[in-house]
Amino acid sequence: MAWGRSVPPLLLSLPFLKRSAHNMSAQAVRVRFAPSPTGPLHMGGVRTALYNYLFARKHQGSFVLRIEDTDQTRYVPGAEEYIQEALSWCGIAPDEGPQKGGDYGPYRQSERKHLYRQYADQLVEAGYAYYAFDTSEELEEMRSMAKKAGTPNWQYNHVTRGRMKNSLTLAASDTEKRINDGDPYVIRIKLPRNEEVKFYDIVRGWVRVNTNNMDDKVLFKGDGMPTYHLANIVDDHLMGITHVIRGEEWLPSAPLHIMLYRYLGWEESRPSMAHLPLLLKPDGNGKLSKRDGDRLGFPVFPLEWKTPANDEVFSGYREQGYLPEAFLNMLAFLGWNPGTEQEIFSKQELIDAFSLEKVNKAGARYDHDKTRWFNQQYLRQQPLPVLADQLRQEAQSQGYDLTEQKAQQMTELLLDRAVFPSDLLKEGQFLLEPPETYDEKTTRKKWNSQARQHIENLRERFAQLDAFEASLLEERFKTYLQEQETGFGKVGPGLRLALTGKGMGPSLFAIMAILGKPETLARLDKALEKLPAHG
RNA sequence: GGCCCCUUCGUCUAUCGGUUAGGACGCCAGGUUUUCAUCCUGGAAACAGGAGUUCGAUUCUCCUAGGGGCUGCCA
């Protein structure tokens, strides 16, 4: 088993496992990510896409994007574009999909509409499905009545279908008449009574469910579209999908899908299944949802999203300055672990290390601090010139003109205290313009007549220097301290305050070197002028 | 409620019957640094509970508890 959890040897004799094993060696891996375009893709969806992508790459297979838009009432403009853009930003764009094309298209289910009906008909003819004429209202009433009677989970199944309006209870002529008259109807699967459905899930092992606990799900809707259940089986089959890797929320309907493969006669080529653990919210209970981000102060979406209906804005990792590689690395580790102690993985390293067997079973709680840490790590790995160039552009957009050299110096100076690229400018603002105000607390504690005198003295000394570079400045500064028989703590804070207006920050000598002589002297003059001499 | 899935430090996780239960984030302490950040060193911190199988269970089985998902003519 290249990618099964350990399976008892005996079970290998089961026909479909043999088939699987055969599949794996002979058939090219094809996986799909199948979101429905009902809104932006959130990070849980991105992770599902990522695992599909990694699995495909690992096995030299194909990663397919399929848009599951069989519910026309839930269409949200821009959602599909968002999905594609999000995947591209993350660096996991599909090999086949609505944008890219491919040999198995079309890749939108709405454009595949004509394909599904024949399979629904096939099932009806084979006796595995039936027409049902019950209206939504009638079903609603059945459910609420059952609920009042103490049965919260009324099901349309082998017990109840005999009392409903369907082709099993109606005379054949009646059924035919209704259909010819254009009466609305759905097609439901006809599940057997008391039969065990079992399948092997790559991350969970054997899963078994009795058909008594399943219901006769609608396969084909009144509007002429298939439901997800039918469409996903038909498409996976037609598209040659070998492995279905999806979220755990699909686990309860997996047995139904198994039955569909069987009834459609496709059991021999059924894809393997892997149900991924869910992403949980950091606080409280439940899975991560789209509102958690704004509530807890982090994005849940890869890209910013503006709801078309009301212009509500949801923040995105991209816009907040996260690097896609960091985002991806973080996501990969939410529910998967290579078993080594390495945590920083390039995309290629993730591909090489990834396996579904190492995917965890339990849901993973999202930790924003860790995400920030990943970003910090990746930020430092960026080439200096690239960061400097970004800084320069950002500074420019805010009206500062930066030389390449100065941008580079600033980047070097500030990278250690940055988590986001934008921190470089934020933390280095004082290098671009003189302070307007001086930190109140530092002024009160460190700025006295003595400190003032030191600044005056230093100003004179610095004015004598020709080469304004850090090492020289430091040397002169220390010489001065020795002459004065005083310590760094008596002079340094005042100097920093005068130069930057702040009580803390990077090396003073590097700061002065970057500012240059005229600016340094000007700032010292300004501070001497503006700051009162107290104490 | 029913069905299914899950359960190791606060969080993400390693352990595929025998370990002082390891790492990372976060937290705390110390060191480096004029300060902040970085960096280095150290620390606190976990196998949900109970039975069983076994010479031996965090690891296998069962039960309990807790958590999660599903329970639509949504995906």
Side-chain angles (χ1 to χ4, degrees):
Chain A
M1 296 295 287
W3 45 67
R5 272 191 198 278
S6 55
V7 174
L10 234 182
L11 295 171
L12 286 170
S13 61
L14 291 173
F16 82 86
L17 276 177
K18 263 193 192 154
R19 188 274 317 160
S20 290
H22 173 259
N23 241 3
M24 288 170 195
S25 49
Q27 216 175 310
V29 163
R30 290 178 56 79
V31 296
R32 85 306 196 271
F33 177 54
S36 91
T38 54
L41 189 60
H42 94 348
M43 56 198 287
V46 177
R47 194 203 52 175
T48 301
L50 171 62
Y51 285 6
N52 272 281
Y53 174 92
L54 294 176
F55 186 79
R57 284 288 171 280
K58 169 99 180 185
H59 300 283
Q60 291 88 40
S62 302
F63 173 49
V64 178
L65 173 65
R66 186 173 68 222
I67 299 296
E68 309 234 320
D69 55 351
T70 51
D71 186 356
Q72 293 151 334
T73 64
R74 296 216 306 162
Y75 170 76
V76 173
E80 185 188 316
E81 291 73 14
Y82 181 100
I83 291 164
Q84 304 246 19
E85 199 186 339
L87 296 180
S88 295
W89 179 69
C90 292
I92 54 172
D95 302 313
E96 298 170 28
Q99 236 170 43
K100 184 99 182 267
D103 297 338
Y104 295 81
Y107 292 92
R108 281 182 204 98
Q109 289 185 329
S110 58
E111 293 168 8
R112 303 171 64 82
K113 185 175 175 180
H114 60 284
L115 290 167
Y116 305 111
R117 178 67 204 229
Q118 56 185 297
Y119 297 104
D121 288 342
Q122 179 190 326
L123 290 170
V124 173
E125 274 159 37
Y128 293 133
Y130 57 93
Y131 301 101
F133 301 95
D134 320 273
T135 65
S136 301
E137 294 72 31
E138 287 166 347
L139 291 171
E140 190 62 40
E141 204 184 316
M142 278 307 285
R143 290 199 180 91
S144 71
M145 271 169 51
K147 200 165 188 173
K148 272 180 212 161
T151 316
N153 60 327
W154 182 84
Q155 294 191 138
Y156 205 119
N157 60 15
H158 67 96
V159 182
T160 59
R161 67 184 166 222
R163 297 192 297 273
M164 304 301 288
K165 255 186 286 177
N166 54 48
S167 57
L168 303 174
T169 58
L170 266 24
S173 57
D174 194 359
T175 298
E176 200 174 326
K177 181 175 184 308
R178 281 168 182 265
I179 291 172
N180 290 338
D181 287 353
D183 279 10
Y185 65 89
V186 301
I187 296 176
R188 287 180 182 273
I189 190 170
K190 186 182 171 193
L191 288 176
R193 184 180 152 274
N194 195 28
E195 211 170 277
E196 185 177 77
V197 186
K198 94 176 178 179
F199 65 97
Y200 187 78
D201 185 289
I202 299 172
V203 338
R204 279 151 215 289
W206 290 103
V207 175
R208 51 197 90 211
V209 180
N210 191 293
T211 52
N212 287 350
N213 295 316
M214 299 167 61
D215 61 351
D216 290 353
K217 284 266 182 278
V218 171
L219 302 177
F220 204 82
K221 301 188 277 186
D223 66 0
M225 285 291 256
T227 60
Y228 166 82
H229 301 297
L230 211 218
N232 119 82
I233 269 63
V234 168
D235 287 342
D236 284 346
H237 176 74
L238 262 26
M239 292 182 172
I241 299 302
T242 57
H243 300 259
V244 170
I245 305 167
R246 76 238 287 195
E248 191 188 347
E249 69 268 30
W250 295 110
L251 197 50
S253 54
L256 173 75
H257 301 160
I258 300 293
M259 292 304 281
L260 279 170
Y261 280 107
R262 186 178 303 168
Y263 287 167
L264 255 2
W266 300 335
E267 205 164 24
E268 289 302 299
S269 61
R270 202 202 87 207
S272 305
M273 299 269 189
H275 288 91
L276 272 20
L278 263 19
L279 257 38
L280 273 21
K281 54 185 72 188
D283 69 327
N285 314 316
K287 61 175 174 176
L288 191 64
S289 73
K290 88 184 191 183
R291 301 270 162 202
D292 290 326
D294 300 309
R295 187 171 61 78
L296 297 164
F298 60 82
V300 292
F301 298 107
L303 276 35
E304 189 172 278
W305 167 260
K306 190 191 261 186
T307 308
N310 58 9
D311 281 0
E312 189 178 4
V313 174
F314 293 91
S315 63
Y317 283 87
R318 181 179 65 183
E319 287 72 13
Q320 294 221 340
Y322 286 88
L323 302 165
E325 299 82 6
F327 180 64
L328 217 62
N329 198 156
M330 175 278 293
L331 232 34
F333 270 74
L334 238 36
W336 170 84
N337 186 293
T340 65
E341 295 193 343
Q342 183 184 348
E343 297 224 52
I344 303 293
F345 278 71
S346 68
K347 196 171 78 176
Q348 188 56 48
E349 287 175 314
L350 286 174
I351 291 167
D352 294 337
F354 188 77
S355 79
L356 287 171
E357 292 72 42
K358 286 205 161 289
V359 171
N360 269 81
K361 293 196 244 282
R365 213 160 235 135
Y366 174 71
D367 180 359
H368 192 54
D369 281 331
K370 190 110 184 204
T371 307
R372 287 176 53 90
W373 177 79
F374 270 114
N375 209 57
Q376 187 184 40
Q377 300 303 308
Y378 274 84
L379 186 66
R380 290 180 193 184
Q381 286 182 11
Q382 297 283 301
L384 216 60
V386 171
L387 289 170
D389 196 54
Q390 282 172 13
L391 170 64
R392 214 172 146 204
Q393 283 178 30
E394 208 179 321
Q396 208 149 45
S397 75
Q398 294 189 22
Y400 301 105
D401 210 14
L402 262 184
T403 64
E404 207 171 299
Q405 192 205 7
K406 190 165 177 180
Q408 185 111 208
Q409 288 176 313
M410 279 182 68
T411 305
E412 271 177 273
L413 189 66
L414 298 162
L415 192 55
D416 274 349
R417 56 208 80 209
V419 173
F420 304 107
S422 61
D423 288 342
L424 260 24
L425 186 58
K426 212 179 292 168
E427 297 294 318
Q429 187 80 22
F430 63 82
L431 290 168
L432 302 175
E433 58 186 358
E436 284 305 314
T437 58
Y438 295 87
D439 181 66
E440 190 274 326
K441 190 176 159 192
T442 310
T443 307
R444 180 157 40 81
K445 292 186 125 166
K446 301 288 183 183
W447 188 263
N448 50 33
S449 55
Q450 222 180 6
R452 210 188 131 84
Q453 186 59 53
H454 286 310
I455 300 303
E456 279 179 27
N457 298 343
L458 283 167
R459 194 230 176 267
E460 292 316 309
R461 300 228 172 179
F462 293 156
Q464 320 263 309
L465 294 174
D466 289 326
F468 225 65
E469 56 181 54
S471 56
L472 182 64
L473 286 160
E474 181 166 6
E475 184 204 309
R476 291 303 158 91
F477 184 83
K478 289 193 166 154
T479 306
Y480 174 79
L481 290 183
Q482 278 183 353
E483 286 172 20
Q484 297 284 319
E485 296 183 340
T486 186
F488 214 128
K490 297 284 185 202
V491 188
L495 182 57
R496 178 183 303 285
L497 185 71
L499 288 170
T500 69
K502 294 169 184 291
M504 60 186 83
S507 161
L508 281 169
F509 313 108
I511 290 172
M512 287 190 282
I514 293 174
L515 289 176
K517 185 171 167 181
E519 177 66 12
T520 299
L521 298 182
R523 289 194 182 189
L524 295 181
D525 289 338
K526 185 181 173 189
L528 288 167
E529 182 192 322
K530 290 190 80 168
L531 286 171
H534 67 265

